[in-house]
Every structure is written in C-alpha cells, then in structure tokens.
Amino acid sequence: MNVFNFNAGPSALPKAVLEKAQSELLNFKGTGMSVMELSHRSKEYEAVHQSAIDLLKELLRIPDNYQVLFLQGGASLQFSMLPLQFLKEGKIGNYILTGVWSEKALKEAKLIGETQIAASTKESNYTSIPEFSDLSFNKNDAYVHVTSNNTIYGTQWAEFPDITHAPLIADMSSDILSRPLDIEKFGLIYAGAQKNLGPSGVTVAIIRDDLLAENVEHVPTMLRYQTHAESNSLYHTPPTFAIYMLNEVLSWVKDQGGVEAIEKINKQKAKLIYDAIDESEGFYTGHAVKEARSLMNITFNLPSEEQNKVFLAKAKELGFVGLNGHRSVGGCRASTYNAVPLEACIALSDFMNSFRKL
C-alpha cells in the first residue's frame, strides 16, 4: 500500500535513510553487530557520534563558541532543565506564548522561579505570532523563551526578535533544520529529534559557551548542561541508535543540497496545500492568519465537523496517514516536515481539490 505520512511526530523519515539503516541493521561497519549493540565507548560508535555533531555544526553554520549536546527526555525535560540552570533568585523567566508547548514550558518554569509573559496570542486562539512591538521585557530577565513553530495551531515565527538584554532561548523541536538560522541570535536552542532530525529518543541542544559558565552547583548532575558539554554528551549511555539515525538524516540533508535547498522544497510543499485551502472558496479554512502560517504544520477545517470526519475517513482509505488535528483542537493537520516528499503534498493537494467538488 502506498502511504503518505503526514504524522506530526514521530514523523516521516527519509526513505533512503531507512533503507540504509535496514542494510546495516545486523552488521554495522563490519563489526558483525547492530549499531544498537555497540558500546558507546567503541571507536565505531564514537565516529558516528562525532559525525552527527560535526554535520549539525556544518549544516546550521554553528559558530565555534557554541556546543552541540545530545540529551534525553525530549523538549519536555528542557522545560524544567533550562529554568533550573538560569532562573535564579531575583531573575525572571520571560515567556512568549504562541501555543500549547510554550504554555507547558511556562508552567514548568513557574515551579522553579519567577516568570513573566512577554506577549501572548492566546486571546485569538493562537492564530498569529506577536508583533515585536508588543513584546514586554524586564531588566532582570534571566532569558526570553520562544517556541519557533507551533505544531497544534500551525503558526511559525518568520523572523526572530533581536534580544540583547538576556539570552534568547528557543524550542525548535518542530522546525529545526527546515530553514537557515542565525544561530548567534540565540543563547540556547533545543529540539526533540522526532520531527526533522530523526526518530524519537534524542534531544539536541545548541548552547553558547558563556551560558555553560553559569554556577549550577544547586542543579542535579544529570540536569546540568555543563555535565554533558564536558563529556561530549557521553557522560552516561546516550541513545545510540537514535543518534545513529540522526547522523544519517543529517547526511541526507547534506546530500539534498543543505538547509537552503531543503527550505526551498519545504516552501513548495506548503504552497501546494495552502493553495488548495485558499482557492477552495471557503470550503477549507486555515487556522493561522496568512502572515503567521507554518511551513511545517498546516492546520485547517472543513465547513462542519461531520465533513471533517468524512474527509479524514476518505483520506485514510487512500493512504493518507496522520491528517487528524491534535486532539485538543480537532480539525485537520498536514505536517510537511523535511522528509515528507513533494509527491505526497501533490497527492494531498489533488485529493483536497477533488474532495470539495464531490
């Protein structure tokens, strides 16, 4: 059966990566073992580990004064880990709310220290991204936190504010590696891998060296960024297979022409589906305002909930997977991450156009 995978995460992986992993599954690099069976201290695995770090630095043009860390616990653990490091007495964790995940990040920070909401679009049901002019800062901000892309509501920051008084920290779980980034705008970027980087199980953090110099003696050892930076993310057994897959995905991105080429294709994919929405004469209604639309998660509704159900049932029959909206908001959602091929988006656009004419 031909399947078009639009799952929001864990999501599609490049077919070429899956095929290579399959071919190496029982005998990695002549070891006679799967990469999952290798010691994380072996030279074969350490080569994979370092390659993944080096490729990410190359693809995102990460400056030398930043470290790449491989962590666990997903972005959800980062919601606690970062305020534990930086939200000290007399400091404020400043959060820009653009969806459920930024709300969850704020909730965890509140358990640790003082927080503030720099701006929020909750009153409009998160259909947009705040204007830079609406952001409210404090001289005592420990950091300013932003969620770059919002999987549930389908909005995305097109540009990021220039923050100079405190580090800008970003959860980029759902759009990292989908477009070029000015890394130097950020003190810390973190991302669960299961959207654009690889399978679930590994979390990438990109952290500036000066933030690693913070006094964190009060923080449990495993929850310190310093611990993982000092050991090249080998302080304890890392998720070796997930990092192996991450390395292969990064190699695939490089083979496609790098992040710039990936962004170009992502724009083509998203345009196909947004055009089907915009040209439907109101049959499909996008959730996000046009200027805030995500290139990764395209959210929309049909005229009624009953028609949503019929659409999703028919789509499933035809091999479209993962088009249901998040359980908290309903509707429909197409997640067009890097590994989703252009052909899948053409097929979905064609289906949407034919369905509304039934």
Side-chain angles (χ1 to χ4, degrees), residues 67-72 74-75 77-86 143 145 169-170 187-191 203-209 211-214 216 219-233 235:
Q67 303 296 317
V68 172
L69 310 180
F70 296 145
L71 309 172
Q72 295 180 53
L77 184 58
Q78 294 302 300
F79 297 163
S80 302
M81 194 167 167
L82 74 92
L84 278 171
Q85 317 282 304
F86 308 124
Y143 55 81
H145 183 280
I169 293 178
L188 170 64
I189 294 168
Y190 63 90
T203 304
V204 169
I206 303 166
I207 184 168
R208 203 171 59 216
D209 285 344
L211 297 184
L212 291 169
E214 294 270 345
V216 289
V219 179
T221 304
M222 274 291 292
L223 298 178
R224 301 177 187 176
Y225 294 110
Q226 286 178 1
T227 297
H228 303 283
E230 289 169 357
S231 61
N232 199 31
S233 299
Y235 175 77

Side-chain angles (χ1 to χ4, degrees), residues 77-210:
L77 184 58
Q78 294 302 300
F79 297 163
S80 302
M81 194 167 167
L82 74 92
L84 278 171
Q85 317 282 304
F86 308 124
L87 193 48
K88 298 172 183 176
E89 187 174 354
K91 291 290 188 177
I92 298 170
N94 209 343
Y95 286 75
I96 303 172
L97 301 187
T98 50
V100 167
W101 300 112
S102 52
E103 287 183 357
K104 288 179 181 289
L106 173 62
K107 178 183 176 183
E108 296 304 307
K110 283 182 175 179
L111 299 175
I112 295 164
E114 186 178 352
T115 62
Q116 176 182 308
I117 297 174
S120 173
T121 54
K122 188 172 185 176
E123 67 282 354
S124 66
N125 197 25
Y126 294 127
T127 58
S128 63
I129 295 295
E131 298 289 338
F132 290 175
S133 59
D134 292 334
L135 302 179
S136 175
F137 302 125
N138 244 293
K139 66 178 181 180
N140 293 332
D141 287 340
Y143 55 81
V144 177
H145 183 280
V146 62
T147 304
S148 60
N149 182 74
N150 305 286
T151 57
I152 293 176
Y153 298 97
T155 61
Q156 184 179 32
W157 289 81
E159 301 287 342
F160 296 98
D162 291 311
I163 307 295
T164 57
H165 74 292
L168 179 61
I169 293 178
D171 175 0
M172 292 192 179
S173 294
S174 53
D175 67 347
I176 194 170
L177 212 67
S178 68
R179 56 180 175 169
L181 280 174
D182 181 359
I183 299 293
E184 291 185 302
K185 277 197 168 190
F186 303 91
L188 170 64
I189 294 168
Y190 63 90
Q194 65 272 14
K195 319 282 190 179
N196 275 329
L197 294 176
S200 56
V202 62
T203 304
V204 169
I206 303 166
I207 184 168
R208 203 171 59 216
D209 285 344
D210 63 293

Side-chain angles (χ1 to χ4, degrees), residues 38-56:
L38 297 175
S39 166
H40 63 292
R41 304 295 182 188
S42 67
K43 63 180 176 60
E44 291 86 1
Y45 172 71
E46 287 196 352
V48 171
H49 191 94
Q50 192 59 47
S51 175
I53 292 171
D54 293 343
L55 275 171
L56 193 62

